[in-house]
Amino acid sequence: NLLVIHPYCCSLCLGLLLVTASLPQILSFTYYSAVPVQLNHNIPVLHDKSRRRLVNRPSTCLAMTWNTIHCDADVPPPSEWNLRQYEDALGLYNTLHSCQDRYLKHELHRALKCLLEAYRLYGPENVIGSYNGGKDAVAILHLMRAAKAQYYYMRQQSEEDDRSSDVKLAPRVLYFENKGEFPQVVDLLHETVKEYDLDMIAFSQDAYSFATGLELLVDGSEESDNKTRSPSQLAFVLGTRSSDPNAKGQGQFSPSSDWMPPFMRVNPILDWTYGHVWHFLRKFNLPYCSLYDEGYTSLGSVHDTRPCPSLAKPNGGGYWPAYMLSDWGQERAGRQNSNKKASKKEVKASCTNVEIDDIDDESSYSSMSTASNGSIGVQRTVGLLIIGDEILKGQTNDTNTNAAALALRANGVPLTRVVVVPDDLDEIVSELRSMRRAVDVVVTSGGVGPTHDDVTMLSVSAALNSPLVLHQEMSDFLRTKSDSNDGTLTDAQIKMATLPDCGKLCYLAGKEDWPTLKCDNIFVLPGVPQFFEKKIKNLATYLAGDQPYKACSCKIVLSIEEMSVAPILNKLVENHPYVSFGSYPFVGHPEINTVVTIEAHECEGPTRSSRRRSSTFSGPIITEDSSEPSALVATASIARTSSNTARHELRTFTQQEMDFNLKSALNSLIDELPKSSVLRVDNEDFRLE
């Protein structure tokens, strides 16, 4: 039984009752219907023979408007936008455009500018959005609503004639029916099409592929009432991001591929990350599919999509919501090959995020390995000695500390101490000796020039009781860089070639590049920031050795004050000894009040100082004979455990154990925090801007 109300037949007519035992095949594409017609995949479809939209329809009467195109049907003309929804979208634009969130401001402005350009170039009737209910599609839907409302507003403001005559067209979106669609996605489509008065066209899966559906739209635009437009003047707004597999070579405006009908692809969020999308949706309280709160991070069909394994809570406790994914490279980890049935072992692996071969019925993460296969190994600690009166007097900004911290951290080499001293021989010698006892590797910055106040070489010589000598290899190198025809060194060059007798030259970037001096466990680097940054990057790679490093850390951005977080962190520190917590208050930020960081330890012990080994430094030496990259890789082992004795002294965690320790701590933190206080969780490696 189908009750159909026809409000257009007569202003006094309330409708008619049609009773039928069977419903014939629907050949037209749009009706008004008080009760949705059910297709075989349970997506309600509403039709309108008049090809008009009810602008002021009662919400209790019409559930939504849904245009479905079956075989041999025409493309419906655009429909008029509800005034209330237009004003709501214009308010959204003003909110987005005035956003001062430093994490999102730039991306928002670029996306809105891109869409305004699309509406200006192609016209509001020829810009269509792709809307399948996924997170990226939801993001572009609201960006389109906002930009289209602003486009109409700007056009009204620029016209001198009657502004009320400007007909505003509802945002048109495109959807391809999917028999394997999640019911939760269908629910979202229903709610948003109705709530935002969308002009949505759905293509029947049985009648149209993606390409043929787009071809019908392109042909329909060519045959529309506006005869001046060509088919290539149709623009489709997509939720493509640069991390997507099909994003290679695309810009914000990219013509369609040669095998597709001619149209322009518009990618307003191309430069957005996974974190930007979720911050946008949650910051502005925009509705999204409920599956994302159940651990799904990328939605396909019910046949090939599962929750993301990286969001699995410890001990089978379910999944965290999608916005808490810190490793954005795992966004599509829940997508599966629908032709392959997952085994019981694989399902268990996906829930615990471990290798299949490591699983047995009694497996547990409570145990730790002792330098077993897959372990990270013990990292050498590094101390940085900044030398220069100009730093202490405030005459020069110290950028080298930040450069060293970034380079070393990127390679998994812990920087545990930074000291700034003046250009004073006694001060430098004293600090060198103290630092050598505290860390494995000492890196100096500054004081290696030819002038009188450059006393670093003399200080290193005194600290190591190694006399200064004219270094033959360094002298030969300087001659290759000299303009002198007879090979004579200047006084300044002689001073630069006078090095501690124990000094060795390391060619970290090849024989043609300026070598780095290594004296026992001290590496002497220049103080000029441009030179230092290059040197420290090469040195960090050298110290890391041949084992790849993967940071196991995340940051949690909160809307609550640090004072509210402190009692929670104090409790968690005791319960999670194998991770480090950090808390950083934000003052004056409109939304963010606190950022909490969590980093998993690489070996047993609550602090990095427990990673120290009693063995002496015995790193490799790279000479001119080690010019091949493979030689550096083969010999670079100073950042890893090199003795069997040391391996038994400290128990190291595997990458899987580090991941588990991090997840356990993160889960405990989220459980303790007030609801809605978490703005986002991301993996931007603790950059706190």
Side-chain angles (χ1 to χ4, degrees):
N1 295 334
L2 178 66
L3 177 63
V4 183
I5 298 178
H6 299 272
Y8 53 84
C9 295
C10 176
S11 59
L12 299 179
C13 180
L14 297 178
L16 59 87
L17 179 64
L18 176 64
V19 180
T20 179
S22 61
L23 185 66
Q25 181 180 6
I26 301 172
L27 297 179
S28 58
F29 48 81
T30 172
Y31 291 82
Y32 275 130
S33 176
V35 178
V37 177
Q38 297 292 327
L39 296 184
N40 55 0
H41 57 292
N42 298 322
I43 297 183
V45 182
L46 302 177
H47 305 276
D48 172 21
K49 287 184 177 179
S50 68
R51 299 186 183 182
R52 294 186 296 109
R53 155 163 289 194
L54 284 178
V55 176
N56 296 315
R57 61 186 183 276
S59 59
T60 58
C61 175
L62 294 177
M64 55 176 284
T65 299
W66 196 305
N67 299 317
T68 297
I69 298 182
H70 298 268
C71 57
D72 301 325
D74 295 327
V75 178
S79 59
E80 189 173 349
W81 204 354
N82 184 306
L83 178 61
R84 180 179 68 86
Q85 292 301 334
Y86 158 72
E87 293 175 346
D88 178 74
L90 187 60
L92 176 62
Y93 175 87
N94 294 329
T95 299
L96 299 181
H97 190 262
S98 61
C99 174
Q100 296 301 311
D101 189 313
R102 287 173 287 182
Y103 183 72
L104 197 59
K105 177 180 178 180
H106 175 72
E107 285 72 18
L108 270 179
H109 286 185
R110 275 179 52 86
L112 292 172
K113 181 180 178 181
C114 171
L115 287 168
L116 286 173
E117 285 294 294
Y119 284 118
R120 181 182 69 85
L121 293 172
Y122 299 95
E125 69 278 10
N126 289 309
V127 177
I128 303 175
S130 174
Y131 186 46
N132 61 2
K135 61 185 182 302
D136 299 321
V138 171
I140 65 167
L141 167 67
H142 294 288
L143 291 169
M144 281 184 63
R145 290 176 52 230
K148 191 166 192 177
Q150 177 65 10
Y151 168 80
Y152 281 127
Y153 177 78
M154 292 169 60
R155 193 164 74 175
Q156 278 187 331
Q157 297 301 308
S158 63
E159 292 178 353
E160 298 293 338
D161 54 355
D162 184 10
R163 297 173 184 173
S164 62
S165 63
D166 187 17
V167 177
K168 299 175 179 62
L169 302 178
R172 171 160 282 191
V173 292
L174 179 64
Y175 171 64
F176 284 84
E177 295 176 356
N178 180 5
K179 294 180 181 179
E181 196 73 88
F182 282 96
Q184 295 91 333
V185 172
V186 178
D187 291 342
L188 176 71
L189 295 176
H190 283 329
E191 295 166 3
T192 50
V193 169
K194 173 187 174 182
E195 175 66 23
Y196 303 112
D197 198 36
L198 304 179
D199 181 16
M200 180 155 153
I201 299 174
F203 281 100
S204 170
Q205 186 180 26
D206 295 329
Y208 291 95
S209 66
F210 183 72
T212 56
L214 294 180
E215 184 176 2
L216 180 63
L217 285 176
V218 170
D219 293 342
S221 70
E222 184 180 18
E223 298 169 0
S224 64
D225 294 336
N226 189 350
K227 299 297 183 180
T228 62
R229 292 201 177 274
S230 66
S232 61
Q233 287 181 294
L234 201 63
F236 288 99
V237 183
L238 306 173
T240 302
R241 290 185 282 116
S242 58
S243 59
D244 293 342
N246 63 333
K248 184 177 181 181
Q250 291 196 44
Q252 284 196 320
F253 289 88
S254 296
S256 59
S257 303
D258 54 8
W259 57 274
M260 295 288 288
F263 60 84
M264 181 61 69
R265 291 176 291 192
V266 182
N267 303 312
I269 63 171
L270 186 66
D271 58 347
W272 287 30
T273 65
Y274 181 91
H276 287 129
V277 172
W278 277 114
H279 191 53
F280 171 69
L281 296 179
R282 300 184 72 248
K283 175 179 174 61
F284 297 105
N285 197 29
L286 300 172
Y288 55 82
C289 181
S290 60
L291 289 172
Y292 289 116
D293 287 334
E294 300 172 14
Y296 290 81
T297 52
S298 178
L299 297 181
S301 72
V302 295
H303 308 296
D304 63 7
T305 308
R306 300 292 182 269
C308 180
S310 295
L311 289 174
K313 294 182 179 180
N315 304 318
Y319 293 85
W320 288 303
Y323 69 85
M324 286 183 57
L325 182 67
S326 60
D327 183 359
W328 299 337
Q330 297 297 309
E331 177 182 355
R332 294 172 181 80
R335 293 292 192 97
Q336 298 179 350
N337 185 346
S338 58
N339 296 324
K340 177 183 177 182
K341 184 178 180 180
S343 66
K344 181 178 179 181
K345 211 172 189 182
E346 290 172 323
V347 171
K348 187 175 181 182
S350 68
C351 295
T352 55
N353 198 24
V354 299
E355 297 296 332
I356 295 176
D357 293 339
D358 293 336
I359 295 177
D360 55 54
D361 294 337
E362 303 299 328
S363 61
S364 172
Y365 280 106
S366 60
S367 63
M368 292 176 291
S369 64
T370 56
S372 60
N373 291 335
S375 66
I376 300 302
V378 181
Q379 294 292 323
R380 293 283 187 172
T381 56
V382 176
L384 177 62
L385 182 61
I386 304 292
I387 301 169
D389 292 338
E390 67 278 9
I391 301 296
L392 293 172
K393 294 177 180 178
Q395 297 171 327
T396 302
N397 291 329
D398 173 25
T399 61
N400 290 349
T401 296
N402 182 251
L406 292 175
L408 292 168
R409 178 174 173 77
N411 287 274
V413 181
L415 176 64
T416 61
R417 177 169 301 197
V418 178
V419 178
V420 183
V421 295
D423 294 310
D424 182 87
L425 178 63
D426 293 336
E427 292 278 357
I428 299 173
V429 170
S430 175
E431 194 57 48
L432 281 173
R433 290 173 175 170
S434 174
M435 191 173 285
R436 290 187 70 228
R437 292 191 296 268
V439 297
D440 294 308
V441 178
V442 178
V443 178
T444 68
S445 167
V448 295
T451 60
H452 70 283
D453 58 346
D454 293 315
V455 294
T456 298
M457 292 302 177
L458 184 59
S459 302
V460 172
S461 172
L464 298 177
N465 296 316
S466 179
L468 290 174
V469 297
L470 184 63
H471 197 281
Q472 186 61 46
E473 186 180 350
M474 189 63 186
S475 300
D476 295 340
F477 179 84
L478 290 174
R479 289 189 180 93
T480 64
K481 303 295 183 181
S482 175
D483 295 330
S484 174
N485 294 327
D486 58 2
T488 304
L489 297 179
T490 65
D491 291 342
Q493 290 174 324
I494 291 175
K495 180 179 180 181
M496 295 175 66
T498 303
L499 309 176
D501 188 41
C502 65
K504 304 293 182 181
L505 299 185
C506 299
Y507 295 85
L508 303 180
K511 292 187 295 183
E512 298 301 321
D513 197 35
W514 200 279
T516 298
L517 177 66
K518 174 185 174 294
C519 301
D520 197 56
N521 68 333
I522 300 174
F523 288 85
V524 182
L525 272 59
V528 179
Q530 294 87 337
F531 299 148
F532 179 86
E533 183 173 356
K534 180 181 178 181
K535 289 288 187 183
I536 194 63
K537 287 181 178 179
N538 293 332
L539 180 59
T541 302
Y542 169 64
L543 294 176
D546 58 356
Q547 295 190 31
Y549 171 73
K550 178 183 177 183
C552 193
S553 59
C554 66
K555 72 177 181 183
I556 304 93
V557 182
L558 304 175
S559 61
I560 57 177
E561 301 286 347
E562 188 182 32
M563 291 296 294
S564 302
V565 183
I568 298 174
L569 291 181
N570 291 337
K571 175 182 177 182
L572 295 179
V573 167
E574 296 180 0
N575 296 335
H576 297 275
Y578 303 131
V579 300
S580 295
F581 290 92
S583 178
Y584 309 91
F586 271 57
V587 179
H589 195 280
E591 291 93 14
I592 301 174
N593 284 304
T594 309
V595 170
V596 174
T597 63
I598 308 177
E599 181 173 12
H601 294 171
E602 297 161 10
C603 62
E604 186 179 12
T607 64
R608 282 176 172 170
S609 60
S610 65
R611 304 177 189 184
R612 284 277 295 139
R613 297 182 310 140
S614 59
S615 59
T616 58
F617 179 85
S618 57
I621 304 300
I622 299 180
T623 64
E624 284 190 287
D625 296 333
S626 305
S627 57
E628 294 297 324
S630 59
L632 181 136
V633 172
T635 58
S637 60
I638 62 174
R640 307 296 175 186
T641 303
S642 58
S643 66
N644 293 330
T645 301
R647 289 177 182 267
H648 289 290
E649 289 176 355
L650 286 178
R651 294 185 295 176
T652 60
F653 295 111
T654 66
Q655 187 72 55
Q656 296 163 354
E657 290 168 337
M658 291 171 62
D659 289 340
F660 177 83
N661 292 336
L662 177 68
K663 286 184 177 182
S664 297
L666 179 60
N667 185 53
S668 298
L669 175 63
I670 299 301
D671 287 344
E672 294 288 341
L673 288 170
K675 292 183 178 180
S676 302
S677 65
V678 179
L679 298 179
R680 69 176 186 271
V681 179
D682 63 39
N683 62 347
E684 291 194 338
D685 205 26
F686 298 0
R687 296 310 301 267
L688 302 176
E689 293 85 2

